Amino acid sequence: MTRTDLPNRLDRLPWSPWHTRVAVALGVAWVLDGLEVTLVGSVGGVLERGDTLALSAAQVGWSGSLYIAGAVLGALAFGRMTDRLGRRRLFLITLAIYMAGSLATAFAPGFAFFAACRFVTGLGIGGEYAAINSAIDELIPARVRGRVNLAINGSFWLGAALGAGLSLLLLDVRVLGPVWGWRAAFLAGGVMAAAILLVRRHVPESPRWLAAHGRLDEARRIVLAIEDEAIRRHGALPPVAGTSPVAGRSPTLLQVARILVRDYRRRSAVALGLMVAQAFFYNAIFFTYSLVLTRFHGVAEGRVGLYVFPFALANVLGPLLLGPLFDVVGRRRMIAATYVSAGLGLALTGWAFAQGWLDARSQAWCWSAVFFLASAAASSAYLTVSEIFPLEMRAVAIAVFYAVGTGLGGFAGPALFGELIGTGSHAAVALGYAVAAAMMAAAGLGALRHGVDAERKSLEDIAPPLPARRPDEPS
């Protein structure tokens, strides 16, 4: 098998402006996702007005479901293409699809067109998950991979805050008002994507992917250019420690399934548990956030957006402040700590809610504290899936676990909590919180027992190329 020092050269690099540019250019995918999800939630009531699209409540709900369905299908379709055609080509294509969908949404004349645009926008965002997570892990030095990945995944909530702010501003009658404001909000998302598309054109292909596809000379030129910039800023680089085997061609989907179930079954079980638990936890709470505030705490619909800001801030700060510990304390310990503590926090919040001890403000602060921990936990799930499988199937593995996690947790959570909230019973809603809390705790303990100590390790050491792969063994 061919060996190369390229992965080791990438992992020894000091952090440089080049890494910052890559993190910003690629990480905006989560900002855009947060923007889209929050916009739909914030303008949903406006779209029911007769002078806008005159949608029914059910149609607003279906548009959200179609966005999620598009994201799931986009992840599966584009994840496979990312492994075969390259990270760079796909993170340009998927961003262009998102841009087209968001821009077209702004011109929707009715429900059918609006729903189709939301589906297309979801396709682009779902494809982004696979392409971006693959590229980030393969370009970022191993010693800081955890904190960078968590910070980027946590930026979803910057988009959520931006979406809430845009809706409050543009829907104000003193600015654009409801009739035109919702269109301007979606137009702004598309314009932002167009600007980022121009920046992404300068992000290179993953040298690891190029080497796996026999393009070693091109991979060396990219690594040399990155090293030259690092040397100009930091001086001489440390010596390269050894070589790593070069990955082979992408396996077929049947081979991927066999590898996940047979060779990496423990890792697959851990990844599935983490993804399903965080998807249920987040979607159950976030998609019914406004309902709890309006129905149980009497918050006016026009003021719900104000309660998004502390919630979003906590979700951004969690990965930023806790992320470094995933590289220092270790993956398994920190995953378990954040998952279990988030579950415990939600269980206690549910108990206080059932007792009638919380008003709108204290409920929001409790959720903010819980999701400070849960945001780091959820981000660590994406980190786990993106670094514990071989390069040849990394993107499709991310896509599979994202799709299954979102499909199970993302669809079931909002539906279940919607029914519980509809009962008007504090105790029923608290029971739903308890279910979500138990799922998080179980997933965290599973990761502690069967997870992988991936901190500060090369991707090739965590998951060797397929011809050289080891059977899945307990860590």
Side-chain angles (χ1 to χ4, degrees), residues 179-252:
V179 176
W180 296 104
W182 74 269
R183 296 184 185 274
F186 285 109
L187 192 65
V191 171
M192 183 190 303
I196 296 299
L197 189 61
L198 296 176
V199 175
R200 276 195 189 172
R201 293 173 58 196
H202 302 289
V203 177
E205 180 57 85
S206 163
R208 284 176 157 104
W209 184 88
L210 290 170
H213 288 75
R215 297 159 63 179
L216 281 169
D217 290 341
E218 187 177 349
R220 290 192 186 98
R221 286 195 297 271
I222 292 172
V223 173
L224 184 60
I226 301 171
E227 289 175 334
D228 286 343
E229 182 170 341
I231 290 171
R232 287 196 300 271
R233 185 175 182 85
H234 299 282
L237 300 175
V240 180
T243 61
S244 299
V246 174
R249 295 284 179 171
S250 302
T252 66

Side-chain angles (χ1 to χ4, degrees), residues 47-343:
L47 297 179
E48 296 180 46
R49 292 170 50 131
D51 55 358
T52 58
L53 296 185
L55 303 184
S56 67
Q59 287 175 326
V60 173
W62 271 108
S63 66
S65 295
L66 286 171
Y67 176 83
I68 293 177
V72 169
L73 292 176
L76 292 172
F78 292 119
R80 174 64 173 160
M81 294 171 66
T82 298
D83 281 333
R84 293 178 63 86
L85 303 179
R87 287 37 171 146
R88 184 176 186 275
R89 184 179 300 180
L90 266 295
F91 65 58
L92 293 175
I93 291 173
T94 54
L95 183 60
I97 292 172
Y98 163 82
M99 178 184 68
S102 187
L103 290 174
T105 302
F107 300 95
F111 171 67
F113 191 88
F114 180 82
C117 290
R118 304 316 302 147
F119 179 78
V120 171
T121 306
L123 283 176
I125 286 295
E128 287 271 283
Y129 278 117
I132 299 306
N133 270 309
S134 301
I136 288 171
D137 277 4
E138 292 166 14
L139 292 171
I140 298 302
R143 68 184 178 281
V144 295
R145 188 173 59 241
R147 70 192 71 186
V148 172
N149 196 300
L150 260 70
I152 289 174
N153 278 281
S155 66
F156 173 98
W157 295 99
L158 291 176
L162 179 60
L166 272 177
S167 64
L168 287 171
L169 174 66
L170 297 177
L171 296 178
D172 193 314
V173 294
R174 294 167 296 180
V175 184
L176 290 178
V179 176
W180 296 104
W182 74 269
R183 296 184 185 274
F186 285 109
L187 192 65
V191 171
M192 183 190 303
I196 296 299
L197 189 61
L198 296 176
V199 175
R200 276 195 189 172
R201 293 173 58 196
H202 302 289
V203 177
E205 180 57 85
S206 163
R208 284 176 157 104
W209 184 88
L210 290 170
H213 288 75
R215 297 159 63 179
L216 281 169
D217 290 341
E218 187 177 349
R220 290 192 186 98
R221 286 195 297 271
I222 292 172
V223 173
L224 184 60
I226 301 171
E227 289 175 334
D228 286 343
E229 182 170 341
I231 290 171
R232 287 196 300 271
R233 185 175 182 85
H234 299 282
L237 300 175
V240 180
T243 61
S244 299
V246 174
R249 295 284 179 171
S250 302
T252 66
L253 291 177
L254 182 60
Q255 289 171 330
V256 168
R258 186 181 300 117
I259 291 166
L260 291 176
V261 173
R262 183 189 63 193
D263 300 303
Y264 288 99
R265 59 186 177 277
R266 282 193 178 88
R267 297 185 182 194
S268 295
V270 168
L272 183 62
L274 294 177
M275 292 296 285
V276 171
Q278 65 84 26
F280 182 87
F281 190 91
Y282 258 95
N283 288 292
I285 306 303
F286 188 61
F287 277 97
T288 56
Y289 189 84
S290 62
L291 293 178
V292 171
L293 292 175
T294 56
R295 297 196 181 189
F296 289 99
H297 298 305
V299 176
E301 292 181 0
R303 296 181 59 82
V304 168
L306 296 175
Y307 290 85
V308 173
F309 289 108
F311 186 79
L313 179 62
N315 276 277
V316 171
L317 291 177
L320 281 177
L321 298 180
L322 298 178
L325 298 177
F326 284 78
D327 289 320
V328 177
V329 176
R331 300 285 200 266
R332 290 190 299 121
R333 294 183 182 87
M334 284 305 301
I335 291 171
T338 53
Y339 265 78
V340 173
S341 59

Side-chain angles (χ1 to χ4, degrees), residues 344-381:
L344 179 60
L346 183 62
L348 292 174
T349 299
W351 180 63
F353 176 77
Q355 300 302 312
W357 295 344
L358 302 178
D359 58 12
R361 181 176 296 178
S362 57
Q363 179 87 58
W365 283 116
C366 285
W367 273 335
S368 297
V370 168
F371 281 86
F372 173 85
L373 299 165
S375 183
S379 296
S380 72

